[in-house]
Amino acid sequence: MRQIVIFDFDGTVIRGDSVVALLFAARKERLISLGGLCAAAAFGVLYHLKLTDALTAKRRSHAFLTRLSAETREAFL
């Protein structure tokens, strides 16, 4: 299977941060708990309040992916 990675730096393909879309898609597929979604949202708030950096907020938001099996993660992403 061939993978394609697309980066949208200027907002022409997707509006907003794709992390939010990823989290909602993961919740819809029941891959992240409601608590995990709330924790990710909390880190988003901390980032916007400048109480954490973007890298930390994104790492914490993506943390649920490490708990998925390789097969589940591959199918989801």
Side-chain angles (χ1 to χ4, degrees), residues 1-53:
M1 174 193 243
R2 186 173 173 182
Q3 288 186 327
I4 298 173
V5 179
I6 299 171
F7 296 95
D8 181 27
F9 295 110
D10 64 355
T12 55
V13 177
I14 185 172
R15 294 199 188 277
D17 195 327
S18 60
V19 172
V20 174
L22 175 79
L23 290 169
F24 280 118
R27 181 63 189 145
K28 183 178 178 182
E29 297 292 323
R30 300 186 184 277
L31 300 176
I32 187 172
S33 67
L34 186 56
L37 187 63
C38 290
F43 274 95
V45 170
L46 290 174
Y47 168 71
H48 285 288
L49 293 174
K50 299 190 183 339
L51 297 175
T52 192
D53 61 291

